[in-house]
């Protein structure tokens, strides 16, 4: 008699620190919704070089089929690339991996689902056309946002507290066909046609809830929609000031849920509604 083998999905997250991550609750909810057997573990791995041997061991475990899929967060989103066999075009262009999977040939691939999580959530929440966008911050997340917005034809300006960082990011993504600028926020935001502002800095994130990346005395462009990548607190200082000025402002919970949903689909082949991920994350945040 033949016995059906029930697959168990061993998923997890590499990062440092990882204990406050919402990924376990989101992916466990998705496993349950899909009726799949599985678990989601946290793998705290120190920044390199201290964590190098452990990172190698974990990636090797995945290659041997002990693990089905891994998420990657700070500080390993860039460094993990050197441990993988290949990168998807998105991960290669963005220069960062947040999802690792094994393909049918036993090769380890790195993908980036932050950009598509953002793109999908923005499409759900913002009803206008693409136009001028002001990005605040020029770190890892900003790269995924620039990648996503370029795909939809936005005219992008990046500002960061270290102007050279914004200039470097703009130069990297800029092309003759699609220029990306790096003017200071005080200068670019005077343009009345700025219709989207995206905060990719951690300014305002819990516990630093009184901070904002937006200069105190600078008025917002009057038609701007504010997208803050931060999701804890649910309303950041940037969002509350923008709402007081009559603007619409949303947080990054939809992006978080969207990147998780896409990673889950890559690992399991199951497309679970984003609401399942978002609801699980919300419940954990409000505990
Ligand atoms: P990162 O690589 O460290 O980059 C952060 C950027 O913000 C850098 O340009 C940094 O400049 C700047 N910055 C830091 N503190 C600032 C402050 N107080 N005022 C102004 N600028 C400041 O971090 P990341 O990976 O891009 O993540 C950034 C934020 O995005 C975090 O809050 C993270 O939780 C969030 N995020 C959310 C999602 C989601 O799914 N919603 C996904 C990814 C990231 P310096 O280099 O000068 O410090």
């Amino acid at each position: 008699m033949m016995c059906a083998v029930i697959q168990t999905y061993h998923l997890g997250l590499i990062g440092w620190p990882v204990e406050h991550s919402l990924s376990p609750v989101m992916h466990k909810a998705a496993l349950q919704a899909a009726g799949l057997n599985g678990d989601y573990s946290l793998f705290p791995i120190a920044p390199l070089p201290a964590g190098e041997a452990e990172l190698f061991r974990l990636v090797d475990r995945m290659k041997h089929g002990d693990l089905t899929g891994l998420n990657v967060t700070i500080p390993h989103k860039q460094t993990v690339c050197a441990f993988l066999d290949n990168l998807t075009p998105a991960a290669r262009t963005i220069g960062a991996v947040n999802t690792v999977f094994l393909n049918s040939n036993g090769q380890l691939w790195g993908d980036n689902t932050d950009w598509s999580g953002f793109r999908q959530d923005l499409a759900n929440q913002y009803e206008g056309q693409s136009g001028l966008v002001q990005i605040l911050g020029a770190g890892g997340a900003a790269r995924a946002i620039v990648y996503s917005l370029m795909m939809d034809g936005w005219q992008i300006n990046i500002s960061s507290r270290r102007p050279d960082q914004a200039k470097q990011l703009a130069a990297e993504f800029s092309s003759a066909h699609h220029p990306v600028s790096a003017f200071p926020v005080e200068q670019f935001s005077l343009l009345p046609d700025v219709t989207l502002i995206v905060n990719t800095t951690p300014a305002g994130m819990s516990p630093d809830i009184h901070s904002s990346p937006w200069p105190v005395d600078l008025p917002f462009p009057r038609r701007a929609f504010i997208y803050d990548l931060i999701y804890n607190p649910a309303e950041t200082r940037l969002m509350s000031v923008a709402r007081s000025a009559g603007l619409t402002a949303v947080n990054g919970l939809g992006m978080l849920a969207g990147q998780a949903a896409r990673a889950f689909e890559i690992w399991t082949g199951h497309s679970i509604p984003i609401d399942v991920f978002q609801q699980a994350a919300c419940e954990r945040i409000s505990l």
Side-chain angles (χ1 to χ4, degrees), residues 47-67:
L48 269 48
E52 185 166 355
E54 211 175 330
L55 184 56
F56 180 80
R57 249 197 316 277
L58 206 58
V59 166
D60 200 49
R61 273 183 65 191
M62 196 164 165
K63 226 165 178 173
H64 287 92
D66 293 349
L67 293 166

Side-chain angles (χ1 to χ4, degrees), residues 74 77 114 136-142 160-162 165 199-205 208 211-213 227-231 252-253 255-257 259:
I74 291 170
K77 281 186 166 185
D114 281 336
L136 306 171
S160 59
R161 62 180 173 185
R162 289 184 291 121
Q165 193 189 28
N199 174 38
T200 74
T201 82
M205 184 167 71
D208 181 28
S211 292
S212 168
Y227 194 106
D228 197 333
L229 260 61
I230 295 171
Y231 44 82
L253 195 62
M255 172 181 172
L256 180 81
Q259 63 75 30

Side-chain angles (χ1 to χ4, degrees), residues 58-108:
L58 206 58
V59 166
D60 200 49
R61 273 183 65 191
M62 196 164 165
K63 226 165 178 173
H64 287 92
D66 293 349
L67 293 166
T68 322
L70 285 171
N71 279 138
V72 185
T73 189
I74 291 170
H76 298 302
K77 281 186 166 185
Q78 280 94 31
T79 48
V80 77
C81 298
F83 295 76
L84 306 176
D85 298 316
N86 225 325
L87 300 179
T88 61
R92 194 178 298 282
T93 306
I94 294 167
V97 161
N98 77 334
T99 302
V100 180
F101 64 97
L102 199 62
N103 77 356
S104 51
N105 298 326
Q107 284 186 318
L108 269 189

Side-chain angles (χ1 to χ4, degrees), residues 34-236:
L36 299 176
N37 258 350
D39 47 60
Y40 192 100
S41 310
L42 294 175
F43 299 106
I45 294 185
L48 269 48
E52 185 166 355
E54 211 175 330
L55 184 56
F56 180 80
R57 249 197 316 277
L58 206 58
V59 166
D60 200 49
R61 273 183 65 191
M62 196 164 165
K63 226 165 178 173
H64 287 92
D66 293 349
L67 293 166
T68 322
L70 285 171
N71 279 138
V72 185
T73 189
I74 291 170
H76 298 302
K77 281 186 166 185
Q78 280 94 31
T79 48
V80 77
C81 298
F83 295 76
L84 306 176
D85 298 316
N86 225 325
L87 300 179
T88 61
R92 194 178 298 282
T93 306
I94 294 167
V97 161
N98 77 334
T99 302
V100 180
F101 64 97
L102 199 62
N103 77 356
S104 51
N105 298 326
Q107 284 186 318
L108 269 189
W109 280 72
D111 199 355
N112 187 303
T113 67
D114 281 336
W115 75 271
S116 53
F118 170 76
R119 188 184 191 202
Q120 191 170 2
D121 193 44
L122 185 67
N124 288 341
Q125 306 219 53
Y126 174 75
E127 288 170 356
Q129 304 284 316
S130 45
L132 294 188
V133 53
Q134 167 68 66
I135 297 181
L136 306 171
R143 301 180 67 87
I145 302 307
V146 172
Y147 181 83
S148 168
L149 291 169
M150 284 188 90
M151 203 157 283
D152 292 322
W154 284 86
Q155 250 182 285
I156 301 169
N157 185 67
I158 308 166
S159 309
S160 59
R161 62 180 173 185
R162 289 184 291 121
D164 282 353
Q165 193 189 28
K167 280 185 192 149
Q168 194 181 329
L169 181 54
E172 222 179 296
F173 277 85
S174 213
S175 67
H177 164 68
H178 197 149
V180 177
S181 61
F183 296 113
V185 64
E186 290 82 355
Q187 205 174 327
F188 190 76
S189 301
L190 294 177
L191 299 176
D193 292 343
V194 174
T195 50
L196 176 64
I197 295 168
V198 185
N199 174 38
T200 74
T201 82
M205 184 167 71
S206 180
D208 181 28
I209 57 167
H210 299 297
S211 292
S212 168
W214 193 259
V216 174
D217 297 324
L218 186 68
F220 291 106
R222 64 191 157 78
R223 294 192 297 130
F225 178 96
I226 315 290
Y227 194 106
D228 197 333
L229 260 61
I230 295 171
Y231 44 82
N232 188 11
E235 183 183 68
T236 60

